């Protein structure tokens, strides 16, 4: 593997953004191309002093007050429009630092434009409710209503697997609500956030309302938890880190989108021509590095063999390799260490009696899409979040058994079920304890307008601009008593 730097045109600034200025005097770390391993850029991590300064500046801006809603909406709409001129740079950067295929990177940009537009809409309709005081004897003359106000400084801590759209699901609703934002992106994918920050400033976002702090969670992330002027933390990542953030936040509010082992159930009456491609793409796209990727796949025993064969055949059509090749459908994992881990889990499953129908071969950070059957109950491909391109198929006889098993994990983010039986579909909706239950869809199908979040160890609170903006505001009751 060569250490010759990989040239990426139009790289963004590679330091901390504070009050509209980029500073790069902190310790440096290298961002590598996830397919070749070659260095792409050196990024200056934020220092402890810069973290405090960023929070001080954003707190002062929030205290002084945000621009009015119409102006905030215009900034977000201009940002959506600017995405077109930034598109090629954003795609190039995400292909390099996240390992996205060209299609996945393009989809990320397209969805980001939607998220910005939805957030602009919400800035204009952030209203409260009228209180029906007539319900209380003697209070019928009172007039009451609620209003919503920004919480102040929102700290967004974001993951590598959606370095543009997930970031915007935090930053855009926060600003739409009138908050200032301190963003700490993943150290795996800092360049996309830096480029996005450039775009937002060009769109007219007031400089003091956005800070970007690069670096590791153990340093920069930990320092952000010490800053008491942060009013709200929004985090996407592991349950382990989510617990740390929640403990440090105390009485301050949070929104957590955490770990997952996503399940999908395929009943005997499922339309397999529809289900197979949906399941395969949902489990294997982005190299399986999506929190809702299908991992546990429950298939009625009467069709289990057919489904396994068809999934394996479909998976083998998905070329894995260089994400810059337009024919590639499955790119690299975020690191070679992650690929080695996934490979070891598959070998462990085989040693425990599992049958590998296809895939599972590793070349550096690329794993060919794998379909596994008969994984042991204690095998890590079955009972831990894989975050890799693999599907673990298990036959079931009794529908209630499949429901119970899907509910047996500590997590509850998203589930899917394929069936033509409306009673069975409604039963699944009522008993699958997940934040989202999708009927005739896989666990991994998300529209940016929908409320998105989990239960149990998958966290709490909702993303989706209309829902996130309410999380990031304080509700105040106003009562007139004539």
């Amino acid at each position: 593997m060569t250490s010759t730097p990989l040239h990426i045109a139009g790289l963004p600034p590679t330091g901390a953004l504070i009050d509209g200025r980029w500073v790069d005097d902190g310790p440096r770390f290298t961002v590598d191309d996830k397919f070749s391993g070659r260095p792409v850029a050196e990024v200056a991590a934020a220092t402890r002093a810069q973290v405090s300064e960023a929070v001080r500046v954003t707190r002062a801006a929030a205290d002084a007050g945000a621009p009015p809603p119409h102006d905030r909406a215009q900034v977000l709409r201009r940002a959506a429009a600017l995405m077109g001129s930034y598109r090629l740079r954003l795609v190039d950067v995400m292909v390099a630092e996240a390992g996205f295929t060209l299609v996945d990177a393009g989809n990320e940009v397209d969805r980001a434009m939607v998220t910005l537009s939805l957030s602009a809409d919400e800035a204009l309709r952030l209203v409260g409710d009228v209180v029906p005081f007539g319900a209380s004897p003697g209070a019928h003359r009172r007039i009451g209503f609620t209003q919503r106000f920004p919480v102040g400084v929102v700290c967004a801590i974001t993951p590598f697997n959606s370095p543009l759209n997930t970031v915007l699901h935090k930053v855009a609703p926060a600003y739409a609500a009138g908050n200032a934002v301190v963003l700490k992106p993943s150290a795996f994918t800092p360049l996309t956030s830096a480029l996005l920050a450039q775009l937002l400033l060009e769109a007219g976002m007031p400089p003091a309302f956005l800070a970007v702090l690069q670096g590791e969670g153990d340093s920069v992330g930990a320092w952000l938890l010490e800053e008491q002027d942060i009013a709200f933390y929004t985090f996407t990542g592991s349950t382990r880190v989510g617990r740390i953030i929640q403990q440090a936040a105390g009485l301050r509010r949070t929104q957590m989108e955490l770990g997952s082992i996503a399940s999908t159930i395929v009943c005997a009456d499922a339309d397999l021509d529809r289900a197979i491609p949906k399941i395969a793409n949902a489990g294997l796209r982005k190299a399986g590095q999506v929190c809702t990727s299908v991992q546990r796949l429950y298939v009625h025993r009467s069709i289990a063999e057919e489904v396994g064969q068809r999934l394996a055949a479909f998976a083998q059509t998905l070329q894995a390799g260089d994400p810059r090749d337009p024919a590639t459908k499955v790119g690299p994992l975020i690191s070679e260490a992650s690929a080695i881990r996934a490979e070891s889990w598959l070998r462990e499953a085989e040693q425990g009696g599992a049958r590998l129908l296809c895939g599972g071969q590793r070349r550096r950070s690329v794993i060919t899409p794998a379909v596994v059957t008969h994984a042991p109950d204690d095998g890590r491909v079955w009972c831990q979040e894989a975050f890799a391109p693999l599907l673990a198929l298990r036959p079931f006889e009794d529908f209630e058994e499949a429901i119970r098993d899907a509910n047996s994990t500590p997590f509850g983010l998203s589930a899917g079920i394929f069936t033509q039986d409306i009673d069975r579909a409604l039963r699944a909706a009522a008993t699958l304890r997940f934040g989202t239950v999708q009927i005739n869809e896989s666990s991994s199908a998300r529209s940016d307008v929908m409320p998105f979040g989990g239960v149990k160890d998958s966290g709490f609170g909702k993303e989706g601009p209309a829902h996130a903006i309410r999380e990031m505001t304080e509700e105040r009751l106003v009562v007139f008593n004539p």
Side-chain angles (χ1 to χ4, degrees), residues 258-278:
L258 307 176
S260 171
I261 299 178
S263 296
T264 293
I265 299 171
V266 184
C267 298
D269 63 345
D271 179 350
L272 296 185
D273 290 338
R274 180 180 184 184
I276 295 296
K278 284 181 175 290

Side-chain angles (χ1 to χ4, degrees), residues 93-116:
V93 166
M94 284 188 284
V95 168
E97 70 173 358
F100 283 5
T101 65
L102 294 171
V103 170
D104 285 338
N107 287 341
E108 186 89 354
V109 175
D110 292 340
R111 289 184 59 188
M113 295 168 70
V114 172
T115 301
L116 283 163

Side-chain angles (χ1 to χ4, degrees), residues 326-400:
T328 296
K329 297 295 187 284
V330 178
L333 275 72
I334 196 63
S335 67
E336 187 168 2
S338 295
I340 291 170
R341 172 191 56 78
E343 181 185 37
S344 72
W345 285 18
L346 287 165
R347 300 293 88 79
E348 172 191 88
E350 286 185 292
Q351 291 166 10
R355 179 183 170 206
L356 187 63
L357 299 185
C358 69
Q361 290 76 45
R362 183 180 68 85
R363 181 171 177 266
R364 293 203 304 268
S365 55
V366 175
I367 292 274
T368 55
V371 179
V372 183
T373 63
H374 302 94
D377 287 346
D378 59 352
R380 286 183 287 186
V381 299
W382 186 253
C383 63
Q384 294 185 33
E385 185 173 21
F387 239 56
L390 66 88
L391 292 162
L393 186 154
R394 176 168 290 187
F396 71 89
E397 293 278 3
D398 177 62
F399 181 65
E400 297 296 330

Side-chain angles (χ1 to χ4, degrees), residues 167-239:
V167 170
L168 278 172
H169 266 284
K170 302 179 186 300
V171 173
Y175 181 65
N179 296 298
V181 184
V182 178
L183 168 64
K184 195 210 85 65
S186 167
F188 283 116
T189 54
L191 303 176
T192 305
S193 285
L195 195 54
L196 172 62
Q198 268 193 321
L199 184 154
L200 290 170
L201 293 177
E202 185 178 341
M205 192 168 179
F209 273 78
L210 177 64
V212 180
L213 301 173
Q214 309 286 13
E216 297 288 347
D218 291 344
S219 53
V220 177
W223 297 332
L224 284 166
L225 297 181
E226 296 172 359
E227 293 291 333
Q228 295 303 304
D229 281 339
I230 292 173
F232 188 101
Y233 294 91
T234 172
F235 171 69
T236 298
S238 71
T239 298

Side-chain angles (χ1 to χ4, degrees), residues 47-297:
T47 65
R48 182 67 185 88
Q50 288 166 355
V51 170
S52 292
E53 176 67 4
V55 175
R56 185 194 66 78
V57 168
T58 51
R59 170 65 189 270
D63 287 348
H70 182 265
D71 293 351
R72 302 198 300 266
Q74 281 192 322
V75 167
L76 295 170
R77 292 197 198 286
R78 282 196 294 267
L82 279 171
M83 281 279 170
S85 61
Y86 274 72
R87 184 184 187 88
L88 291 179
R89 292 171 67 192
L90 285 164
V91 167
D92 284 349
V93 166
M94 284 188 284
V95 168
E97 70 173 358
F100 283 5
T101 65
L102 294 171
V103 170
D104 285 338
N107 287 341
E108 186 89 354
V109 175
D110 292 340
R111 289 184 59 188
M113 295 168 70
V114 172
T115 301
L116 283 163
S117 297
L118 291 170
S119 299
D121 292 343
E122 295 307 323
L124 302 179
R125 56 185 179 216
L126 184 60
V127 296
D129 302 299
V130 175
V131 180
F133 273 111
S136 297
H140 61 280
R141 292 180 58 83
R142 296 187 184 188
I143 300 169
F145 57 88
T146 61
Q147 291 182 291
R148 289 195 166 270
F149 296 90
V151 295
V153 177
V154 171
C155 177
I157 302 175
T158 58
F160 68 79
N161 63 326
S162 181
L164 179 62
N165 194 41
T166 290
V167 170
L168 278 172
H169 266 284
K170 302 179 186 300
V171 173
Y175 181 65
N179 296 298
V181 184
V182 178
L183 168 64
K184 195 210 85 65
S186 167
F188 283 116
T189 54
L191 303 176
T192 305
S193 285
L195 195 54
L196 172 62
Q198 268 193 321
L199 184 154
L200 290 170
L201 293 177
E202 185 178 341
M205 192 168 179
F209 273 78
L210 177 64
V212 180
L213 301 173
Q214 309 286 13
E216 297 288 347
D218 291 344
S219 53
V220 177
W223 297 332
L224 284 166
L225 297 181
E226 296 172 359
E227 293 291 333
Q228 295 303 304
D229 281 339
I230 292 173
F232 188 101
Y233 294 91
T234 172
F235 171 69
T236 298
S238 71
T239 298
R240 180 189 67 82
V241 174
R243 293 186 194 279
I244 294 170
I245 294 172
Q246 188 60 44
Q247 184 176 24
L251 293 178
R252 292 175 291 172
R253 291 160 57 188
T254 62
Q255 182 269 323
M256 300 278 170
E257 198 259 280
L258 307 176
S260 171
I261 299 178
S263 296
T264 293
I265 299 171
V266 184
C267 298
D269 63 345
D271 179 350
L272 296 185
D273 290 338
R274 180 180 184 184
I276 295 296
K278 284 181 175 290
I279 293 166
N281 283 315
L284 306 172
R285 70 184 182 88
K286 287 189 175 180
Q289 298 173 120
V290 180
C291 51
T292 55
S293 291
V294 181
Q295 183 172 337
R296 287 189 175 189
L297 181 63

